[in-house]
Amino acid sequence: MRQNTALTFAEVKSLSTKIGSHSVGGIASGSLLLIVEAAKEPGKLKRRWQWMTRTGGKKRTVGLGSYAASSSVPGLTLSQAREAANETARQPQRPQPKERRTASANQTCSELILEWIEFKKARKAWDNPRKESGVISARFEKYAAPYIGNLSAKEVTPREIGQVMTALQDAGMASTAKKIKSFLRDFFNWCILVKECRPMETGNPVNTEFLKILTPPKKTPDRPQPSCKIEDLPRFFRAVVSSGAINTPPGIACLFAILTCSRYSNIGQSRGIENHCAVWEDIDIQNRLWKIPAAKMKAKLNGDHWIPLSDQCLSLLKRLEVLGMKHPGAVFVYLNGRAFSEGAIRKLIERRSAEDIETGGNGFMSEQVKKDGSHRLMTLHGTARGTFRSWCTRTGEDIELAEIALHHRPGKITAAYQHDKAIERRRELMQRWADFCFSELPKDWAKV
């Protein structure tokens, strides 16, 4: 019981020799207790201060420290213990772990996903937190929330996750389904281990054998990236140059990638752990060669990739220096040294397509047809590699040279004996390819 009368120092000292819980009073709220217990060593006692109160029928206790008969020994004296008790009483009460778990268990997945995003931001899990959090939040609300948004984390089963995946695959969005499945797996791991709003014994609903049964197999096979038609490519180069996009890093990088038959990952800076972008130390201007180390290539077992640089490639690289965009390290970056994403090149292509349609062109559409009957817009990857390979076939170029230019591995028997990079022969091939791409532009196109 609470002691309303404040005991004196002498009274408390006499109680310190008696085993039990003694209320000493003298505080604003709750009870200040002196706890006296028998120590492990015979004949000795342990003494400590404790503050205790009751809220809504529930007892709350807070340990304050050990008892000290005077200020010359470690611990709290009577007056210090009373100050500590009053200070503890003024502090707001924190919810108990069980209460936190109960509150979390009632939260919906739509509410929890926002907390998970903040958790990821605090852990610095993303290179671009603002962009990544926005993309994940939008994808969850559009594709996952209709099935699990109003459910609590413990209510979600593989059946609901299977419905999310099935809807996306039926819509032909297999790539989006894969991304959503990845972050949902991480999200439910967080619900189990960090938030504790899903029992561990129920497991992660994304990591189950049931999901394989509930999710249909991929219906449509992978299609190659849409490529610009051969006859339209010179017009695309003319559009990039005449629009002024040739004076921007994305515009220069786009044309350079097509001229060298390169993937974006070997040109620009990707979001992955490894940075495979083009760097100046790999480019030999004097010998007109660009060496991409095997570690940066998709087919690493095929070894280093040597690309002969055409006259037009050298002009594009020189343009970066003339425009003041040459920085140490990465080749293709903005004036301030900041990297740009593949989306910048995609927008460049979309703008040139819209302008081309306005002037009576076909908008640089590929031959691939969508479900609605319309054609798919060309992509950088499809054009840099697919259009080049088709051009080689149409013009009767050496197919073996074309495959080497794409860093493709020849057949097993050929690969065992063929090790020559055919640099000089490929130099002629890449120059003919560049001349074709710039065939609708005047000779002074590089003039700044």
Side-chain angles (χ1 to χ4, degrees):
M1 293 179 60
R2 177 181 174 184
Q3 174 63 255
N4 294 322
T5 304
L7 300 183
T8 64
F9 173 78
E11 291 172 328
V12 172
K13 188 174 182 180
S14 65
L15 290 174
S16 65
T17 60
K18 300 177 182 180
I19 294 177
S21 177
H22 311 288
S23 177
V24 302
I27 60 173
S29 62
S31 299
L32 177 60
L33 307 175
L34 175 62
I35 310 297
V36 183
E37 301 168 321
K40 290 183 179 180
E41 298 180 20
K44 292 195 175 183
L45 300 174
K46 292 192 301 182
R47 305 172 183 87
R48 56 188 173 84
W49 295 108
Q50 187 181 80
W51 177 76
M52 188 269 287
T53 187
R54 290 184 181 274
T55 305
K58 294 183 179 181
K59 184 172 72 171
R60 179 190 174 203
T61 59
V62 178
L64 302 177
S66 60
Y67 164 81
S70 66
S71 58
S72 61
V73 295
L76 300 178
T77 62
L78 175 61
S79 60
Q80 290 172 335
R82 281 175 174 153
E83 290 179 9
N86 286 324
E87 179 63 27
T88 302
R90 286 193 291 269
Q91 293 177 355
Q93 182 178 352
R94 296 181 179 180
Q96 297 298 314
K98 185 180 252 182
E99 294 174 354
R100 287 203 304 269
R101 285 197 293 270
T102 302
S104 300
N106 296 328
Q107 287 181 282
T108 64
C109 287
S110 289
E111 295 170 337
L112 288 168
I113 197 74
L114 300 178
E115 291 188 36
W116 173 74
I117 288 174
E118 292 303 317
F119 171 80
K120 298 288 283 187
K121 285 182 179 178
R123 293 284 295 271
K124 297 181 179 180
W126 299 313
D127 294 334
N128 191 336
R130 183 177 179 182
K131 179 180 178 180
E132 290 290 341
S133 61
V135 170
I136 288 177
S137 179
R139 283 177 177 162
F140 180 86
E141 287 301 318
K142 186 173 182 180
Y143 302 115
Y147 301 95
I148 66 174
N150 293 328
L151 300 178
S152 64
K154 65 180 180 181
E155 294 175 322
V156 178
T157 68
R159 186 174 298 280
E160 285 76 38
I161 303 298
Q163 290 173 343
V164 176
M165 298 296 107
T166 300
L168 288 167
Q169 290 189 14
D170 288 345
M173 304 173 67
S175 178
T176 302
K178 185 177 180 181
K179 294 173 183 176
I180 290 179
K181 183 178 179 181
S182 177
F183 80 69
L184 283 181
R185 181 187 296 110
D186 193 9
F187 166 69
F188 282 107
N189 282 339
W190 172 81
C191 289
I192 295 170
L193 300 173
V194 179
K195 194 67 175 176
E196 296 182 349
C197 56
R198 180 180 175 88
M200 186 173 292
E201 56 270 18
T202 61
N204 190 318
V206 185
N207 294 338
T208 64
E209 292 298 322
F210 294 113
L211 191 58
K212 295 180 181 179
I213 300 173
L214 296 169
T215 306
K218 208 171 183 182
K219 292 182 178 179
T220 55
D222 290 333
R223 292 186 294 178
Q225 292 270 11
S227 58
C228 182
K229 295 178 181 178
I230 297 174
E231 56 273 15
D232 294 338
L233 188 56
R235 193 172 78 256
F236 173 75
F237 269 68
R238 185 184 67 189
V240 173
V241 174
S242 60
S243 66
I246 189 66
N247 296 323
T248 66
I252 297 175
C254 177
L255 300 190
F256 188 86
I258 295 174
L259 293 179
T260 55
C261 311
S262 302
R263 296 180 174 86
Y264 170 79
S265 59
N266 293 130
I267 295 291
Q269 299 186 37
S270 302
R271 293 179 299 175
I273 298 176
E274 295 179 311
N275 195 349
H276 292 173
C277 68
V279 293
W280 286 107
E281 65 181 21
D282 291 338
I283 296 178
D284 185 347
I285 298 293
Q286 184 175 357
N287 294 312
R288 302 163 63 101
L289 281 173
W290 176 25
K291 175 191 173 183
I292 307 179
K296 292 185 176 183
M297 296 300 297
K298 180 180 179 180
K300 296 177 175 57
L301 295 178
N302 294 358
D304 298 340
H305 187 36
W306 295 84
I307 303 177
L309 299 177
S310 61
D311 295 338
Q312 290 85 345
C313 283
L314 295 176
S315 296
L316 291 173
L317 295 177
K318 185 177 180 180
R319 194 177 194 85
L320 291 171
E321 184 175 1
V322 173
L323 295 174
M325 298 177 184
K326 184 175 180 179
H327 295 267
V331 176
F332 301 104
V333 290
Y334 284 117
L335 188 62
N336 59 3
R338 183 171 60 87
F340 56 86
S341 67
E342 191 173 4
I345 295 180
R346 191 180 304 116
K347 289 181 180 179
L348 179 147
I349 294 175
E350 290 172 354
R351 293 192 186 103
R352 302 295 80 77
S353 174
E355 294 168 357
D356 188 63
I357 292 174
E358 289 179 359
T359 56
N362 63 4
F364 310 113
M365 297 295 173
S366 70
E367 295 181 353
Q368 290 187 18
V369 181
K370 300 180 184 178
K371 290 182 178 180
D372 60 4
S374 61
H375 288 261
R376 300 178 69 192
L377 179 62
M378 65 169 275
T379 63
L380 173 64
H381 182 92
T383 302
R385 302 179 68 77
T387 305
F388 167 77
R389 184 61 176 78
S390 299
W391 173 82
C392 288
T393 300
R394 177 178 293 187
T395 57
E397 297 290 347
D398 190 317
I399 298 305
E400 184 179 1
L401 288 182
E403 291 299 302
I404 297 175
L406 294 170
H407 200 238
H408 287 167
R409 193 171 189 176
K412 292 184 179 179
I413 297 178
T414 305
Y417 300 106
Q418 163 51 24
H419 305 292
D420 184 57
K421 303 297 182 183
I423 298 295
E424 294 308 317
R425 291 179 62 204
R426 282 200 293 125
R427 189 184 301 280
E428 296 174 2
L429 170 64
M430 303 312 291
Q431 187 59 57
R432 288 194 293 272
W433 167 242
D435 291 341
F436 166 73
C437 292
F438 280 87
S439 58
E440 291 191 12
L441 281 162
K443 293 183 178 181
D444 63 345
W445 66 270
K447 186 176 181 180
V448 179

